């Protein structure tokens, strides 16, 4: 027996999971490859998500710039026609459904106004046409009726007449020659215009004064930027052209 204390350590374990150094290195390499593959997939997903967000943002900006021109146009039409922005938006939808764009609508409404003025004076074929329809173009105070109000009254009368040459002639005399193509729209009567107005609100195509004003201001500012750029070119040209000419 030894004089010194014997120290014995018993190691108990399962040797099945033990790997030799070489195999352990290969396991580590496989883990690295798996980690790299996972990282690559995550990078691809992140890149794809970033690209989708950028595309979405670009689309939103493009949509904003597209609608600003329409809003600006509606605002200017409202001023030209003497109607509210809401009323012009509603009428615009009705005319669009009948195949007429905003500029054509403005021209048609101007023709109606001109004919109504003639009728109020008691002159021309317009006076006879409105008398035949039993419609007064003026209100109780003697002022010319609002264009939309008068249009709906005429539509109600026209809708009750049989289609044909006589009806087309009446429309031409009362509203102007361009309105003959709009007889299908008039045939809906006042209810047709009201239904179109309701649908315009449901579809979200009715503009408000704030949006049309902001759109007009944005377009004006963009025009100023373009003009300023042109001014810079003129100034640069004034400095460089004499030099280039003397080369």
């Amino acid at each position: 027996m030894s004089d010194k204390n014997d120290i014995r350590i018993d190691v108990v374990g399962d040797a099945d999971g033990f790997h030799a150094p070489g195999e352990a290195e290969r396991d580590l390499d496989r883990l690295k490859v798996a980690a790299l593959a996972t990282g690559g997939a995550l990078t691809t997903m992140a890149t794809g998500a970033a690209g989708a967000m950028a595309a979405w943002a670009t689309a939103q900006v493009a949509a904003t710039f597209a609608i600003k021109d329409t809003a600006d146009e509606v605002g200017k039409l409202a001023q030209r026609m003497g109607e509210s922005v809401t009323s012009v938006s509603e009428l615009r939808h009705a005319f669009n459904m009948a195949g007429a764009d905003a500029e054509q609508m403005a021209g048609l409404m101007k023709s109606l106004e001109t004919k109504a003025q003639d009728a109020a004076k008691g002159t021309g074929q317009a006076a006879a046409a409105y008398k035949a329809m039993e419609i007064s173009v003026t209100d109780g105070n003697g002022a010319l009726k609002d264009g939309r109000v008068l249009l709906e009254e005429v539509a109600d009368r026209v809708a009750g007449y049989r289609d044909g040459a006589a009806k087309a002639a009446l429309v031409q005399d009362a509203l102007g020659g361009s309105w003959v193509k709009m007889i299908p729209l008039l045939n809906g009567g006042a209810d047709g215009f009201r239904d179109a107005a309701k649908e315009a609100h449901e579809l979200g195509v009715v503009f408000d004064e704030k949006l049309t004003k902001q759109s007009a201001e944005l377009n004006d500012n963009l025009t100023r930027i373009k003009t300023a750029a042109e001014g810079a070119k003129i100034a640069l040209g004034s400095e460089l052209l004499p030099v280039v000419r003397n080369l």
Side-chain angles (χ1 to χ4, degrees):
M1 184 174 180
S2 172
D3 293 335
K4 295 182 180 180
N5 293 328
D6 291 332
I7 299 175
R8 185 179 68 181
I9 299 175
D10 292 329
V11 179
V12 180
D14 186 358
D16 291 342
F18 177 77
H19 296 287
E23 188 173 349
E25 290 178 2
R26 287 193 293 274
D27 287 344
L28 182 59
D29 289 340
R30 282 193 288 270
L31 286 172
K32 289 180 180 179
V33 170
L36 288 173
T38 303
L42 291 174
T43 301
T44 301
M45 290 174 62
T47 302
M53 287 295 293
W56 179 85
T58 300
Q60 297 308 305
V61 171
T64 299
F65 268 77
I67 204 63
K68 75 175 176 54
D69 291 332
T70 303
D72 189 11
E73 179 186 42
V74 169
K76 286 180 170 59
L77 283 175
Q79 296 176 54
R80 286 165 53 188
M81 294 168 58
E83 299 276 350
S84 69
V85 169
T86 297
S87 180
V88 170
S89 298
E90 295 168 349
L91 283 173
R92 173 175 169 267
H93 179 60
F95 278 90
N96 276 344
M97 296 300 292
D101 61 26
E103 277 300 321
Q104 290 172 323
M105 175 191 73
L108 288 163
M109 295 301 291
K110 180 62 179 178
S111 176
L112 179 151
E113 181 184 0
T114 300
K115 287 288 187 177
Q117 290 173 345
D118 290 343
K121 297 174 185 175
T123 60
Q125 296 172 319
Y130 279 101
K131 183 177 181 180
M133 291 187 291
E134 298 181 344
I135 294 176
S136 173
V137 297
T138 57
D139 59 23
N141 296 321
L144 204 64
K145 287 180 179 176
D146 177 81
R148 181 169 178 176
V149 172
L150 187 57
L151 174 60
E152 290 184 359
E153 289 184 24
V154 172
D156 268 342
R157 287 288 192 276
V158 169
Y161 299 146
R162 181 186 304 173
D163 289 333
K167 181 173 181 174
L170 180 67
V171 169
Q172 180 172 330
D173 291 344
L175 304 176
S178 299
W179 275 95
V180 174
K181 294 181 179 179
M182 292 291 107
I183 287 178
L185 174 62
L186 297 173
N187 279 343
D191 285 342
F193 284 100
R194 296 186 190 110
D195 289 343
K198 180 181 177 182
E199 186 174 65
H201 284 273
E202 291 172 349
L203 295 174
V205 293
V206 177
F207 295 89
D208 58 34
E209 299 282 350
K210 181 180 179 180
L211 178 59
T212 57
K213 182 178 179 181
Q214 290 175 337
S215 297
E217 291 173 350
L218 175 57
N219 275 341
D220 288 345
N221 287 335
L222 291 173
T223 299
R224 290 187 183 97
I225 292 172
K226 182 179 178 181
T227 303
E230 183 180 1
K233 291 178 183 178
I234 293 172
L236 182 61
S238 298
E239 293 293 331
L240 293 181
L241 281 177
V243 177
V244 175
R245 185 187 61 183
N246 296 326
L247 291 178

